[in-house]
Amino acid sequence: MSERRDDLRNIAIIAHVDHGKTTLVDCLLRQCSQMRDAEFQCDQILDSNDLERERGITILAKNIALTYKGVKINIMDTPGHADFGGEVERVLRMADGCLVLVDAAEGPMPQTRFVLSKALEIGLKPIVLINKIDRKDARPQEVVNEMFDLFINLGAEEDIADFPYLFSSTKEGFATPDPNVRTDSVIPLLDMILKEIPGPEVEMEEPLQMLVTTIDWSEFVGRIAIGRVQSGTIRKGQTITVMQKDDKVTPGKVAILYTFNNLGKNEVHEADAGDIVAIVGLPFVEIGDTICSPMAPRAMPRIQVDEPTLRMTFGINTSPLAGREGKYVTTRHLRDRLIRELERNVALRVEQAPQSDEFIVSGRGILHLSVLIETMRREQYEFAVGKPEVIFKTIDGVVHEPFEQLIVEVPTHSTGPVMELTGARFGELQEVSSRGDFSLLNFIIPSRGLIGLRTRLLNATKGEAIMNHRFECYKPKVGAIPTRQTGVLISNSNGNAVAFALDALQARGELHVAPGDITYEGMIVGENSRSNDLTVNPIKEKKLTNMRASGSDKNIILKPCRRLSLEEALEFIEEDELVECTPKSIRMRKILLTETDRRRAGRAAMNDD
């Protein structure tokens, strides 16, 4: 017989990127925890990953636990970007309610819709927090109405759509029921969580059953399985059975049992149904497995996540500089690392490319895959990746492709270039709304059309456009999407770039290398101002003589070269090009390094046509 625990709350915080989730967690920790002030020296405490701090976004879901009025509150901080939806979907399975955080100026954005729809699908009780009411352009009451419309559009029941809400400024550290009245703490929010979020519904007398939703790793104890105990009691030293995929049954034993407390974990002897626990001693366990009693082995439904929409090829680095900067450079190293990533990244897919040593890696978007690439670079891996391409599906004999909802926030006077660029990529304008001097343009656009669009929009709007997008649905494939309009400058020599040569080349286009940078034959050293590729010599030096003549010498003034970030490089390259990723460098190159091979391949392609 099921019952509800009143001494426990499990809640997930969901929001769009940069609406203040992690800052809110800081406020809650300061309000409730017994931690020393020295532990609060930095903001966004949960963003412990270097990549998260550098990018200012949450990438990995994290667990903390607070105690308020004798009730333990387990809080799950989830990513706000749809590319990391796999993290959101599995973490929500541990919660009974969700705190939806919305910017008081921006209102509900695409990722707000995405994460809220996932929460409503599994029946979580929502409460809404309108954040950043201290902004000059805040419009809190209007945002409440927009949230109500969003709930209705997502098909929420009447009792769910009539959601409780508060207003807050997590930067200032307060929550209030009235946006015009400031309080001095977030206690109103904590009271609302206890009142509105139900305790977990559990079956205390039933045999043990727990779904593994997260895998953590420690250098000291190895793999750590994290999940919520659905029924029964789990104890340290207990013999258990793990129900794995393909109906595989594996025995195991709980070596160490943890529950969460503040930012860390406490070792305990037992935990009851409803608790979120971490288990050590199961080196074979995977996300989606069910840990249960050997006397009643019952598997829970495995975690289902949305299918990937984008894929790329990963292969070993074959350039002349291969092995100089990385520690792990072989196909075996690459394969082992990608397979290890599958253990915790449930939205990722990896398969061996036919008739080659490359791997096809599929994910939710460029950001999802670029974070993996950047993580591997920092782990001393060296490899090369190909151009991102969308994943097509054949439905009823018709080829379909993924479409996404795109919202562009741009100054009203710059809407023309945005309409032109998105229209050329089959973007259909759905809605236009105004917010002060800015306009919000809502499009439905093929995922193919988003590749490379961000850079073009920023250039066309002088850096003032803000893009947000999320996967919408699969639709019949549309026509050809415009690709890069310019060619590239390709090095024909190995050596270090020379200022004398670059001075002559900068008139032909935009350079990606500076004097002293190492180059090799086939490496892309710049962007040509024309549509064709051009082979150049960036290491050519001035011929020196013992004769001096008036006017033959001049000062060399080079424009700063344009260093592309990883995401910009992935969007820049074409199908015959690669991005070379090493711990120290991001380079672009042609797949075929020599000009002779490229010409031969071009003639072969023309003959095939």
Side-chain angles (χ1 to χ4, degrees):
M1 181 177 178
S2 62
E3 57 183 288
R4 287 202 178 273
R5 290 184 58 177
D6 292 332
D7 62 336
L8 186 63
R9 300 291 188 274
N10 296 322
I11 185 169
I13 302 178
I14 57 179
H16 182 79
V17 176
D18 200 31
H19 278 199
K21 297 182 306 300
T22 309
T23 307
L24 172 61
V25 173
D26 289 356
C27 292
L28 296 173
L29 281 167
R30 287 185 170 92
Q31 187 73 53
C32 298
S33 73
Q34 303 298 317
M35 298 167 62
R36 301 186 307 273
D37 290 341
E39 298 182 66
F40 290 106
Q41 291 302 311
C42 63
D43 295 328
Q44 290 84 45
I45 299 173
L46 284 192
D47 284 347
S48 54
N49 186 307
D50 288 341
L51 269 179
E52 291 178 319
R53 288 198 169 276
E54 290 172 17
R55 294 170 181 258
I57 60 174
T58 300
I59 297 173
L60 301 174
K62 304 174 188 69
N63 297 72
I64 66 167
L66 308 171
T67 301
Y68 177 67
K69 292 184 177 179
V71 178
K72 183 178 182 180
I73 305 174
N74 285 311
I75 298 176
M76 289 138 269
D77 184 22
T78 63
H81 201 289
D83 280 16
F84 307 111
E87 293 277 321
V88 177
E89 291 170 53
R90 58 185 173 82
V91 167
L92 290 179
R93 297 284 290 272
M94 294 191 289
D96 298 291
C98 61
L99 172 58
V100 187
L101 202 64
V102 189
D103 191 296
E106 296 181 359
M109 298 295 281
Q111 271 75 7
T112 311
R113 183 185 184 94
F114 169 76
V115 292
L116 181 58
S117 65
K118 295 298 180 184
L120 295 179
E121 281 178 13
I122 59 177
L124 299 187
K125 174 69 182 295
I127 59 176
V128 175
L129 187 66
I130 310 300
N131 191 31
K132 300 188 181 182
I133 61 172
D134 54 330
R135 288 182 56 164
K136 293 181 179 179
D137 56 347
R139 47 190 188 91
Q141 295 295 350
E142 293 179 39
V143 171
V144 171
N145 295 333
E146 292 175 4
M147 284 301 297
F148 178 79
D149 293 339
L150 177 58
F151 273 85
I152 296 300
N153 291 337
L154 293 176
E157 300 292 337
E158 183 176 346
D159 59 329
I160 298 295
D162 188 19
F163 51 85
Y165 59 89
L166 287 173
F167 305 92
S168 73
S169 169
T170 53
K171 182 179 179 181
E172 300 293 334
F174 71 90
T176 175
D178 185 346
N180 298 315
V181 179
R182 171 172 176 161
T183 63
D184 58 358
S185 69
V186 291
I187 285 180
L189 175 60
L190 291 165
D191 289 334
M192 177 176 283
I193 290 174
L194 297 190
K195 178 183 176 182
E196 301 292 344
I197 301 299
E201 187 174 356
V202 298
E203 297 174 333
M204 291 290 193
E205 305 303 325
E206 293 295 319
L208 170 65
Q209 197 176 35
M210 168 187 153
L211 182 68
V212 178
T213 54
T214 304
I215 295 293
D216 201 356
W217 174 263
S218 166
E219 294 182 359
F220 303 102
V221 298
R223 188 175 298 194
I224 303 172
I226 300 174
R228 170 177 153 178
V229 182
Q230 189 66 30
S231 63
T233 301
I234 187 168
R235 298 178 178 85
K236 179 180 178 180
Q238 179 179 354
T239 300
I240 50 91
T241 294
V242 181
M243 310 295 291
Q244 300 188 282
K245 60 183 178 182
D246 301 326
D247 297 326
K248 184 179 178 182
V249 180
T250 308
K253 185 176 182 180
V254 179
I256 308 175
L257 183 66
Y258 296 102
T259 57
F260 291 89
N261 180 43
N262 292 334
L263 290 172
K265 305 182 185 76
N266 286 346
E267 185 175 346
V268 296
H269 289 285
E270 69 175 34
D272 295 323
D275 283 323
I276 295 176
V277 300
I279 301 172
V280 175
L282 306 174
F284 51 84
V285 73
E286 297 178 355
I287 291 175
D289 291 351
T290 301
I291 296 174
C292 52
S293 169
M295 307 303 295
R298 295 177 299 151
M300 298 177 66
R302 294 189 71 85
I303 295 173
Q304 300 295 326
V305 299
D306 291 342
E307 293 294 318
T309 58
L310 200 72
R311 64 186 177 193
M312 297 165 53
T313 58
F314 282 52
I316 59 172
N317 184 15
T318 57
S319 80
L321 304 181
R324 294 192 184 184
E325 299 177 355
K327 180 178 179 181
Y328 306 106
V329 298
T330 67
T331 303
R332 178 179 61 83
H333 288 140
L334 187 60
R335 180 192 298 110
D336 292 346
R337 178 61 181 84
L338 292 174
I339 291 176
R340 192 163 71 250
E341 183 68 21
L342 290 176
E343 296 176 354
R344 63 172 65 188
N345 197 336
V346 295
L348 201 71
R349 304 287 186 272
V350 177
E351 57 183 309
Q352 180 87 38
Q355 299 178 346
S356 75
D357 291 334
E358 296 178 334
F359 301 91
I360 300 174
V361 181
S362 305
R364 290 287 186 85
I366 286 184
L367 183 60
H368 185 203
L369 295 175
S370 67
V371 165
L372 170 62
I373 294 171
E374 184 64 33
T375 302
M376 293 173 62
R377 285 183 62 211
R378 297 182 183 212
E379 295 173 358
Q380 301 299 308
Y381 283 84
E382 182 176 315
F383 53 98
V385 296
K387 179 180 176 62
E389 56 183 29
V390 301
I391 299 174
F392 298 101
K393 285 185 178 180
T394 301
I395 304 175
D396 297 329
V398 179
V399 177
H400 286 58
E401 66 175 320
F403 277 69
E404 304 202 21
Q405 179 190 21
L406 168 67
I407 293 182
V408 182
E409 183 177 353
V410 67
T412 302
H413 61 80
S414 298
T415 56
V418 176
M419 301 281 287
E420 181 181 353
L421 287 169
T422 53
R425 293 163 175 258
F426 296 93
E428 296 181 6
L429 183 63
Q430 305 291 305
E431 183 183 0
V432 180
S433 58
S434 298
R435 185 184 300 159
D437 295 333
F438 286 80
S439 293
L440 267 71
L441 310 178
N442 191 338
F443 298 91
I444 296 294
I445 188 172
S447 296
R448 284 186 297 150
L450 290 175
I451 299 175
L453 178 62
R454 184 181 299 274
T455 302
R456 289 176 172 82
L457 278 183
L458 290 175
N459 291 337
T461 62
K462 300 179 181 179
E464 294 185 301
I466 299 175
M467 278 179 56
N468 291 288
H469 57 89
R470 73 170 190 91
F471 172 74
E472 183 72 18
C473 63
Y474 269 85
K475 290 184 178 182
K477 181 182 176 182
V478 296
I481 300 290
T483 57
R484 189 179 68 207
Q485 301 299 309
T486 57
V488 291
L489 304 177
I490 310 167
S491 171
N492 64 1
S493 306
N494 301 330
N496 295 89
V498 176
F500 176 77
L502 298 182
D503 181 43
L505 294 179
Q506 67 180 352
R508 295 187 175 272
E510 192 172 32
L511 297 178
H512 293 160
V513 295
D517 288 352
I518 190 167
T519 66
Y520 56 83
E521 184 178 11
M523 176 177 163
I524 296 173
V525 297
E527 182 177 358
N528 193 6
S529 58
R530 299 186 179 182
S531 59
N532 62 301
D533 292 345
L534 185 65
T535 303
V536 298
N537 184 3
I539 68 170
K540 180 181 178 182
E541 297 181 338
K542 182 180 180 181
K543 300 299 182 183
L544 300 179
T545 70
N546 59 355
M547 300 293 292
R548 289 186 176 271
S550 175
S552 63
D553 293 328
K554 68 172 184 176
N555 289 331
I556 294 177
I557 302 176
L558 292 176
K559 293 182 293 185
C561 68
R562 182 186 173 200
R563 302 285 189 186
L564 298 186
S565 67
L566 177 58
E567 283 89 354
E568 289 173 335
L570 293 175
E571 293 184 341
F572 180 82
I573 61 173
E574 292 296 339
E575 293 181 356
D576 64 337
E577 297 164 358
L578 296 173
V579 176
E580 178 184 346
C581 305
T582 76
K584 298 180 180 179
S585 307
I586 296 289
R587 305 184 186 95
M588 294 178 291
R589 50 161 284 193
K590 289 291 184 179
I591 294 178
L592 301 176
L593 294 178
T594 66
E595 186 175 8
T596 302
D597 289 342
R598 293 194 295 273
R599 287 181 175 178
R600 186 181 296 120
R603 289 194 297 267
M606 292 177 62
N607 293 332
D608 291 341
D609 293 341

